[in-house]
Amino acid sequence: NPFDERLEGLSDSCVTLIKSLLQPDPAKRMTSDEFRRHAWVQGLTASWDTMTDSDRKLEAYWQRRFRGEILRKYAKATSKTNDGSLSDDNLRDIFLSMDLDGNGTLEPEEILVALRGLGVKAEDISQIMKCIDLDGDGTVKYDEFRTIMRKQFDDGEGVKVSRRQQRFRTKILQKFTGSTADAALPEQSLKKIFHTIDLDGNGVLDAHEIRVVLRSVGVDEKDISQ
């Protein structure tokens, strides 16, 4: 659909012009002479107001488009739940499925392969790639992929974290910060929490250490195993 939210903020005259230019019937399509004489092209109906955050809105559009297409292709086969949530393991599985050469990054060719089968046009894929390559290095790493998939846009939340992951996060926050607010913590604070849970100091949280910390906040054994 060419007449989507990308037209938001444009004047009625501009929208009418775009629709006339995109008329599929050549006999009804605007001619070059009609275009030249159109009121908007002449500046008679054009708005002088700046579209607020237009670059950010366009970037968000392409990021949403990417997320929607990826979920349409992979999510149903990946998720083990019925609530629309995906765990980080689910997201990593999707990423690895797209990473055809297994080098840990998604190159433009791999994005093209993933999206082309869904009917996404090549020029749209090019725009998507620019908007999901957050650090501009020409590839998409897992952290960038995860950020896009979890990102909350103006029209709603990103892909939900699975309920068990959310409960674990809430319990850890409650124990170590005194709050259940799901706010981003500084990296230094996260490291401090991790090292506190890591009882043997080997840099890895094993099942025993997870069990100890969750028991301390009242989680029962069955839920801990899950």
Side-chain angles (χ1 to χ4, degrees):
N1 177 17
F3 309 123
D4 51 34
E5 63 264 35
R6 285 173 289 182
L7 298 183
E8 290 180 3
L10 299 181
S11 66
D12 291 340
S13 177
C14 182
V15 173
T16 300
L17 173 63
I18 292 172
K19 289 184 176 181
S20 298
L21 290 170
L22 295 178
Q23 168 60 245
D25 184 350
K28 298 179 181 179
R29 191 178 305 146
M30 177 178 284
T31 65
S32 59
D33 189 54
E34 289 171 334
F35 173 78
R36 181 177 59 80
R37 292 187 284 104
H38 191 275
W40 189 88
V41 175
Q42 295 286 333
L44 301 177
T45 58
S47 171
W48 292 99
D49 296 333
T50 302
M51 291 179 64
T52 305
D53 294 331
S54 57
D55 290 346
R56 183 188 65 79
K57 290 177 180 177
L58 188 59
E59 179 182 79
Y61 167 81
W62 290 116
Q63 290 174 348
R64 280 199 310 273
R65 175 84 184 276
F66 170 76
R67 185 171 68 194
E69 297 293 352
I70 293 303
L71 290 176
R72 185 156 67 95
K73 181 170 184 176
Y74 294 101
K76 188 173 181 180
T78 303
S79 178
K80 302 296 189 295
T81 69
N82 295 316
D83 62 358
S85 67
L86 290 174
S87 69
D88 283 351
D89 285 342
N90 295 150
L91 291 181
R92 188 172 290 280
D93 287 344
I94 294 173
F95 181 88
L96 293 175
S97 297
M98 297 171 65
D99 182 18
L100 301 178
D101 60 11
N103 70 346
T105 62
L106 301 181
E107 285 80 26
E109 295 78 10
E110 292 168 326
I111 300 292
L112 180 66
V113 169
L115 296 180
R116 188 168 51 191
L118 296 169
V120 183
K121 297 178 181 178
E123 56 266 32
D124 289 350
I125 296 175
S126 177
Q127 291 295 325
I128 287 172
M129 183 65 197
K130 291 176 184 177
C131 294
I132 64 175
D133 176 16
L134 302 181
D135 62 7
D137 69 350
T139 65
V140 176
K141 293 176 282 297
Y142 174 70
D143 287 346
E144 294 173 302
F145 176 80
R146 182 183 181 280
T147 295
I148 298 299
M149 298 302 287
R150 297 283 191 221
K151 185 174 181 180
Q152 180 172 339
F153 295 103
D154 293 340
D155 63 347
E157 298 179 354
V159 178
K160 294 181 292 184
V161 179
S162 68
R163 288 175 180 171
R164 294 190 184 101
Q165 283 188 326
Q166 184 64 49
R167 189 177 181 198
F168 174 77
R169 179 183 300 170
T170 299
K171 291 295 185 181
I172 295 300
L173 287 173
Q174 186 177 21
K175 178 176 178 64
F176 291 99
T177 71
S179 171
T180 58
D182 194 10
L185 290 176
E187 184 176 353
Q188 202 61 34
S189 298
L190 291 174
K191 286 182 177 179
K192 185 176 180 180
I193 293 172
F194 182 91
H195 291 314
T196 302
I197 301 173
D198 182 20
L199 301 176
D200 59 12
N202 69 346
V204 177
L205 300 183
D206 58 34
H208 170 69
E209 290 164 334
I210 298 293
R211 182 169 282 106
V212 168
V213 72
L214 291 180
R215 276 179 178 170
S216 72
V217 290
V219 181
D220 63 42
E221 189 63 33
K222 181 180 178 181
D223 288 342
I224 292 174
S225 297
Q226 292 294 326

